[in-house]
Amino acid sequence: MGFFESMTEKWDAMTEKTAPTREKLGRFFQKTGDGAAKVWNFVVKFKQFVLAIPVILGAVILAIRNMGALPQKVGFGLQLDGTFDFMVGRGIAVLGPIAVTALCLLLMFCSKRVLTPWLVSVFSLVLPILIWIINCYPA
């Protein structure tokens, strides 16, 4: 028995096991008609909002985590001797990355091409993580 013959037997066995589920799905989509197409058209029409939701949730979760994990004074500009160039309050260190992410999302909503500003907003989520690492694990 060759490789393709055994794969054909496995495929046939799988199609027999999944036949009832596939038939139920087929009946469901026949009843709804263009329901799936309507959902897809809605997602494409409002893709800015669909893409912004996970970025907003990620920014809020990271802000909450940083609010609890960062010290009262947060340092920026780590020097070679382990001191910081300047210090700011924890609130500013938490709200700064949220403001950068919000600006990126605003630019996404104003742009014709949505994906590039959205990717910048996703990469802006690295800022709170970087601030946390610099201040919790200095030099």
Side-chain angles (χ1 to χ4, degrees):
M1 180 184 295
F3 173 75
F4 294 110
E5 294 166 351
S6 66
M7 289 302 292
T8 305
E9 289 175 3
K10 290 179 183 178
W11 181 262
D12 292 338
M14 190 263 317
T15 55
E16 287 177 22
K17 288 180 182 178
T18 60
T21 305
R22 287 185 292 118
E23 289 172 6
K24 288 179 186 177
L25 283 173
R27 285 193 302 267
F28 172 75
F29 283 117
Q30 284 176 352
K31 287 180 185 176
T32 59
D34 280 342
K38 289 178 185 176
V39 170
W40 183 251
N41 287 337
F42 179 80
V43 168
V44 169
K45 193 173 191 177
F46 296 107
K47 63 186 164 197
Q48 290 99 343
F49 296 105
V50 173
L51 289 173
I53 289 170
V55 174
I56 292 169
L57 289 175
V60 169
I61 289 169
L62 287 171
I64 291 170
R65 193 200 69 181
N66 270 1
M67 188 60 87
L70 287 176
Q72 201 65 14
K73 288 287 187 179
V74 177
F76 288 96
L78 187 62
Q79 302 296 314
L80 291 175
D81 60 354
T83 61
F84 291 106
D85 204 15
F86 61 98
M87 305 287 280
V88 296
R90 177 175 37 197
I92 293 174
V94 169
L95 292 177
I98 287 182
V100 170
T101 303
L103 179 66
C104 293
L105 289 176
L106 178 69
L107 292 174
M108 180 191 75
F109 284 116
C110 296
S111 177
K112 283 185 179 180
R113 295 179 186 230
V114 176
L115 196 58
T116 304
W118 178 76
L119 283 174
V120 172
S121 69
V122 169
F123 287 123
S124 73
L125 295 177
V126 173
L127 290 174
I129 298 169
L130 186 62
I131 291 171
W132 176 73
I133 289 173
I134 288 173
N135 284 280
C136 288
Y137 301 110

